[in-house]
Amino acid sequence: MTDVLTFGEALVTLRADRPIRSGGALHMSVAGAEVNVAIGLARLGHRARWVGCTSRDEFGALVLRTLRAENVDVANVEQAEGPTGLAVFESRIADVTRVSYHRSGSAGSRLTPRHLKAPLREGARVVHMTGITAALGHGPLRAVRTAVSAVRASGATLCLDVNYRAKLWSRETATAALRPLAAQADILVASDDELALAAPGGTVTEAQQVEALLACGVREIVVKRGAEGAEVFNASGAVARPALDVPVEDTVGAGDAFVAGYLSALLDGEPIDRRLERAVTLGAFAVASRGDWEGLPVREELGLVHAVPGSTLR
């Protein structure tokens, strides 16, 4: 059985070495929230499967080649019509990165419930999904809803990362789609400004939102607080963990790395405090290196982040 099954859109990323309007070189790689999580888990020795639709173009070939090289199971990936979605990154000020997407009509948006039928039947210990997939169109949203129903019936652990993207949908549309899904999740992951998108209506404060989600049956609510660390709420109370203070190279992908660390420790049977420790550790690896996932560690390297000069708990 697969440890973690995840699904969504894989993108090819183009990173500019200076402002795009000034010209210059672009470095090409592969990313996508679910892809990043799958790679992070595979590097730590877990069996990770990613399901999606890739283009028949050469960018699609790069996606598959990269995932295979990172030991991510792509047995259920299907080639589809449409181009590969592109994400273009350019650094602007300090660690602020501007991102522009070119993904309209992409092959990745062709995902439907049909693509998940076989992998869901084969089973996984954890099924991980994000709000990004739900925002890609009618077919992907139906795939998310189908997966939620199947996971609830199977007894696997369902993890939902809100991962709101304003360029894909409005907060109002996201709220309408995500609230019913969040209420069925075992683990809900959200940044502190995303929690309202998932919490039942009528809740205003974070405490009210957490209480309402727990009352719906959510087992763990993981709130990401960026440079301030993270906190997990469950029926027993709350556990907080500060972030690791490391030199920041690139913040893109840090949230996905955090999720990969949290799920890795969950799969290892670790308690919440140890899950948070591994989550902030992978987040630190992500921000201390360039790229979405390229700097993420293998298991033997988890302790390296503490050897970085000046790295401390905030």
Side-chain angles (χ1 to χ4, degrees), residues 103 126 131 179 194 198 213 272 298:
R103 67 201 309 178
V126 176
R179 280 181 176 170
E194 292 174 335
L213 286 164
I272 287 176
V298 297

Side-chain angles (χ1 to χ4, degrees), residues 144-174:
V144 169
R145 289 170 173 165
T146 298
V148 169
S149 298
V151 173
R152 299 306 298 168
S154 73
T157 296
L158 175 62
C159 176
L160 172 64
D161 186 350
V162 173
N163 227 334
Y164 175 68
R165 294 290 184 270
K167 292 182 179 181
L168 290 177
W169 54 357
S170 68
R171 291 185 69 89
E172 293 74 21
T173 304

Side-chain angles (χ1 to χ4, degrees), residues 26-306:
L26 293 168
H27 173 73
M28 185 163 53
S29 187
V30 170
E34 302 82 10
V35 164
N36 297 339
V37 171
I39 291 175
L41 286 161
R43 285 197 173 182
L44 293 175
H46 301 286
R47 294 163 296 181
R49 174 178 294 185
W50 176 79
V51 177
C53 295
T54 58
S55 176
R56 294 183 174 88
D57 60 24
E58 288 300 295
F59 290 132
L62 173 63
V63 168
L64 290 176
R65 181 177 182 271
T66 301
L67 290 174
R68 289 183 180 121
E70 291 295 330
N71 295 314
V72 174
D73 184 341
V74 292
N76 299 107
V77 172
E78 181 177 295
Q79 290 187 314
E81 297 301 320
T84 301
L86 301 178
V88 184
F89 298 88
E90 54 178 331
S91 297
R92 298 305 298 132
I93 300 174
D95 60 351
V96 176
T97 300
R98 181 160 59 197
V99 187
S100 58
Y101 293 100
H102 305 268
R103 67 201 309 178
S104 178
S106 69
S109 66
R110 313 286 180 174
L111 182 72
T112 69
R114 175 179 64 81
H115 299 105
L116 294 172
K117 185 176 180 180
L120 286 171
R121 184 175 60 247
E122 292 169 15
R125 294 171 62 191
V126 176
V127 175
H128 171 67
M129 59 189 71
T130 78
I132 295 174
T133 303
L136 294 177
H138 183 60
L141 178 57
R142 286 194 300 115
V144 169
R145 289 170 173 165
T146 298
V148 169
S149 298
V151 173
R152 299 306 298 168
S154 73
T157 296
L158 175 62
C159 176
L160 172 64
D161 186 350
V162 173
N163 227 334
Y164 175 68
R165 294 290 184 270
K167 292 182 179 181
L168 290 177
W169 54 357
S170 68
R171 291 185 69 89
E172 293 74 21
T173 304
T175 298
L178 293 176
R179 280 181 176 170
L181 301 173
Q184 300 182 72
D186 296 298
I187 300 172
L188 177 72
V189 182
S191 60
D192 44 17
D193 62 340
E194 292 174 335
L195 202 56
L197 299 174
T203 57
V204 178
T205 67
E206 181 178 285
Q208 292 172 334
Q209 292 160 356
V210 166
E211 182 179 1
L213 286 164
L214 291 174
C216 289
V218 181
R219 192 173 73 214
E220 296 173 12
I221 302 160
V222 184
V223 180
K224 299 178 291 185
R225 306 193 190 281
E228 300 305 314
E231 191 168 7
V232 177
F233 300 88
N234 64 12
S236 300
V239 179
R241 177 81 180 187
L244 280 166
D245 190 2
V246 295
V248 175
E249 288 287 334
D250 184 2
T251 60
V252 176
D256 303 326
F258 176 95
V259 172
Y262 193 85
L263 293 180
S264 169
L266 173 74
L267 290 163
D268 287 348
E270 298 285 4
I272 287 176
D273 60 335
R274 297 294 296 275
R275 295 180 217 164
L276 279 174
E277 179 182 0
R278 192 173 299 177
V280 300
T281 296
L282 258 70
F285 269 98
V287 301
S289 56
R290 291 284 176 183
D292 287 63
W293 52 266
E294 284 85 344
L296 296 186
V298 297
R299 190 171 289 259
E300 293 76 16
E301 296 175 324
L302 284 172
L304 286 180
V305 71
H306 301 291

